[in-house]
Amino acid sequence: MNEGLIPSRYAKALFEFAGENNADKRIYDMMHKLDGSFVAEPSLQQVIANPFVADADKVKLLTTAAGASTDDKVYARFLQLLVDNNRLAAMRDIALAYMKIYRREHKIYLVNVTSAAPFAPAEEERLKKLIERHLNGGTMEYNHSVDPDLIGGFVVNINNEKLDASIANELKQLRLKLLSK
């Protein structure tokens, strides 16, 4: 995933255009769904990058993959801009950059919690409340997954911050400490 200069510039332009048309949240939801479509169907990127596939077909694919409707004029105009500038192949990177801009502007934090076993509902709610206090008024997009390799405990990732309270990490730290002596 290349979140380079070109996708960032297009994402910024889309963010500003969507904001002017009161569609920034709707576009964010579509970019989120579009990214999910790229993850679920890796061949989508190959089709979008294929020069032998007609641009109209690529636009239809990207429209469907994003869950856009006929009322989503901002998205349709943006796709036409990408067609005009031969940039449809960068759509996934643009979507990722757009989501990053939107999250930053709206104080939305990506929170990924990985635990060795599923949490009881009360434990998970308690952890969510602790995380919300740490965010200082921001909101979170919460995702929880289970990884038995952690042995016990959990790992919390909030954007670029990581709290590793897993048994696997404790064992690793102990091992490093013993090896250094």
Side-chain angles (χ1 to χ4, degrees), residues 112-117 119 127 144-157 162-175:
N112 293 306
V113 176
T114 307
S115 62
F119 287 131
L127 180 62
H144 178 236
S145 59
V146 175
D147 181 3
D149 290 340
L150 294 178
I151 303 171
F154 58 90
V155 178
V156 178
N157 287 301
K162 182 176 184 177
L163 167 67
D164 193 338
S166 67
I167 301 296
N169 183 54
E170 294 295 324
L171 290 172
K172 178 182 169 188
Q173 296 302 321
L174 182 61
R175 181 178 172 268

Side-chain angles (χ1 to χ4, degrees), residues 44 57-58 71-72 126 129 134 141 145 156:
L44 180 58
D57 293 334
K58 292 177 186 179
D71 296 336
D72 293 313
R126 192 169 141 229
K129 286 180 182 177
H134 178 74
E141 285 184 12
S145 59
V156 178

Side-chain angles (χ1 to χ4, degrees), residues 37-47:
S37 296
F38 276 106
V39 170
E41 192 57 57
S43 62
L44 180 58
Q45 182 62 43
Q46 294 169 340
V47 172

Side-chain angles (χ1 to χ4, degrees), residues 30-124:
M30 289 192 305
M31 294 297 107
H32 208 279
K33 185 167 182 168
L34 182 64
D35 181 48
S37 296
F38 276 106
V39 170
E41 192 57 57
S43 62
L44 180 58
Q45 182 62 43
Q46 294 169 340
V47 172
I48 299 303
N50 188 336
F52 297 108
V53 175
D55 286 340
D57 293 334
K58 292 177 186 179
V59 167
K60 285 179 189 173
L61 272 172
L62 290 171
T63 301
T64 302
S69 67
T70 55
D71 296 336
D72 293 313
K73 303 294 184 200
V74 171
Y75 186 66
R77 286 192 58 197
F78 183 71
L79 287 178
Q80 188 55 52
L81 174 72
L82 295 180
V83 167
D84 294 344
N85 293 308
N86 197 24
R87 297 285 188 202
L88 280 176
M91 190 60 209
R92 180 167 189 211
D93 295 329
I94 293 168
L96 293 172
Y98 181 91
M99 289 189 299
K100 189 175 182 179
I101 292 168
Y102 185 88
R103 287 181 186 126
R104 184 181 62 237
E105 291 296 318
H106 294 276
K107 289 186 174 182
I108 299 171
Y109 297 89
L110 284 178
V111 176
N112 293 306
V113 176
T114 307
S115 62
F119 287 131
E123 291 174 332
E124 191 160 27

Side-chain angles (χ1 to χ4, degrees), residues 2 10 14 16 31 43 58 64 73 108 132 139 159:
N2 176 19
Y10 277 93
L14 176 58
E16 290 174 5
M31 294 297 107
S43 62
K58 292 177 186 179
T64 302
K73 303 294 184 200
I108 299 171
E132 283 176 349
T139 58
N159 290 349

